[in-house]
Amino acid sequence: WLDAKPRDINSMPGYSGDLRLLENLINGVHDSMADRDIWLIPYTPGEEHTITITFPKPTEIRGIKFYNYNKSEKDVARGVRTILVKTGDKLLTPRRGVVIK
């Protein structure tokens, strides 16, 4: 029910065993710099980078909170810049997305 493209840093050639996995997005830990609690994907300019959550039945969502990549002070420039949120084919954010600061 949780998928991403790319899935995580382990999808890159030469990487395996990295703890920064997709499943960490839903592990309940929200304020951590530990690899076991964060998610990292390779960024490729021009490619789509998506997270897909498929609920097994209609589900009411009252809010979404995003915690951006913050492994260290050096890494604050990394992470998501703009987010688009859709449900099915319906866009819930402006077409240009929401800027994450």
Side-chain angles (χ1 to χ4, degrees), residues 3 11 18 30 37 42-43 59 61 70 76-78 83:
D3 192 23
S11 64
D18 195 288
H30 307 299
D37 296 321
Y43 175 73
T59 303
I61 300 172
N70 68 341
V76 295
R78 295 173 83 178
I83 292 178

Side-chain angles (χ1 to χ4, degrees), residues 64 66 83-87 90-94 97-98:
I64 301 173
F66 296 95
I83 292 178
L84 292 170
V85 178
K86 295 192 314 185
T87 178
K90 183 179 178 184
L91 189 60
L92 302 178
T93 56
V98 174

Side-chain angles (χ1 to χ4, degrees), residues 2 16 24 82-83 86 88 93 97:
L2 182 64
S16 66
N24 295 346
T82 306
I83 292 178
K86 295 192 314 185
T93 56

Side-chain angles (χ1 to χ4, degrees), residues 9-16 42:
I9 198 74
N10 293 311
S11 64
M12 289 183 62
Y15 282 84
S16 66

Side-chain angles (χ1 to χ4, degrees), residues 28-85:
V29 179
H30 307 299
D31 190 13
S32 176
M33 294 185 290
D35 286 355
R36 70 179 177 277
D37 296 321
I38 59 180
W39 176 57
L40 181 66
I41 62 169
Y43 175 73
T44 306
E47 296 290 323
E48 285 195 3
H49 303 82
T50 62
I51 300 169
T52 303
I53 302 170
T54 305
F55 295 99
K57 62 182 182 179
T59 303
E60 182 176 331
I61 300 172
R62 295 181 182 218
I64 301 173
K65 192 177 271 191
F66 296 95
Y67 293 86
N68 218 343
Y69 193 85
N70 68 341
K71 185 168 179 180
S72 70
E73 284 186 38
K74 180 182 84 173
D75 291 327
V76 295
R78 295 173 83 178
V80 174
R81 303 271 195 280
T82 306
I83 292 178
L84 292 170
V85 178

